[in-house]
DNA sequence: TTTGTATTTAAGTATTTGCTTAAATAAGTA
DNA sequence: TACTTATTTAAGCAAATACTTAAATACAAA
């Protein structure tokens, strides 16, 4: 945070002040949305989320097969998604089924929509 | 990619096959969307994108003031967004104004909408 | 109880990320 | 021309990320 040169001479001080306030009043949203986007911004996790939306629920073993990745790698991605409250777990015997939490569906649905639209466009 | 244990005994082979195909036919979308989400998944860059949407265009110096960060730090974030084709630059004298590229607005708008909705909800 | 299956956890590591400081460009001004 | 301003680039570094392998946990069946 070196105070080198700024602020610039012709800067619109009012604009800068207003921007600072906008950030401040939305700070919670930026943190919250940023976390969800950071999780979805990994290609493996994006695929996992997409598959959970499509199939309703899947277990780590199935995801490992589908994505061609090791089980621990999948499990660690699932933990991140679970820690971020994006997915939840259901136990059935020794199998654990993961599914999307409805609270975040509103945020995620535009992504899925985008993917399905792209698919229609290219086929 | 250790082939440790999977696939599980009661796995639905058809489901796994169908999922693999879904991923394959959408592979371009996952790559593309994943890159945009990875860029937006950083809180600083999310704020920059939000501000560019609100203010139309801003220069690195203004963003540095608004966000309270060094100019090089801002500049490097802007370069990432530019490399990802999310923003574009316009030169005016020695000042460079950055703005959102319209192609990606469709993907980004739900985020801004979310932020503004949250703001309404909490005020 | 032993064995096998499904999953998680832990430790190690190579790569990426996001900043820092210092130097390099580029364009206006004196 | 030299000096300031706006921005980028480069090098260095601490922290985070995403995998690996090996060990631990939990449940079910023989």
């Amino acid at each position: 945070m070196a105070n080198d040169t700024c602020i610039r001479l012709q800067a619109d001080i009012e604009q800068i002040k207003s921007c600072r306030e906008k950030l401040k009043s939305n700070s919670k949203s930026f943190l919250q949305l940023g976390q969800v986007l950071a999780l979805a911004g990994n290609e493996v996790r994006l695929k996992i989320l997409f598959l959970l939306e499509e199939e309703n629920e899947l277990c780590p073993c199935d995801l490992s097969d589908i994505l061609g990745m090791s089980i621990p790698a999948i499990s660690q991605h699932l933990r991140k998604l679970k820690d971020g409250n994006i997915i939840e777990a259901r136990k059935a015997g020794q199998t654990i089924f993961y599914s999307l939490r409805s609270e975040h569906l509103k945020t995620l649905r535009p992504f899925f929509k985008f993917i399905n639209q792209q698919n229609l466009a290219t086929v």
Side-chain angles (χ1 to χ4, degrees), chain A residues 73-102:
Chain A
I74 295 290
S75 179
Q76 283 159 30
H77 280 301
L78 288 171
R79 183 171 50 176
K80 287 197 173 189
L81 291 171
K82 202 179 160 208
D83 288 348
N85 282 314
I86 299 185
I87 63 172
E88 60 192 358
R90 173 180 78 87
K91 216 167 189 172
Q94 33 183 353
T95 307
I96 296 175
F97 288 102
Y98 286 92
S99 55
L100 295 178
R101 292 191 57 166
S102 48

Side-chain angles (χ1 to χ4, degrees), chain A residues 31-61:
Chain A
L31 183 65
Q32 204 183 324
L33 181 58
Q35 284 170 344
V36 175
L37 294 181
L39 287 170
N42 172 283
E43 212 181 319
V44 173
R45 287 193 295 266
L46 184 61
K47 286 175 179 171
I48 290 176
L49 293 174
F50 175 81
L51 290 171
L52 292 182
E53 158 83 352
E54 291 277 315
E55 306 295 321
N56 206 35
E57 58 178 18
L58 288 166
C59 66
C61 179

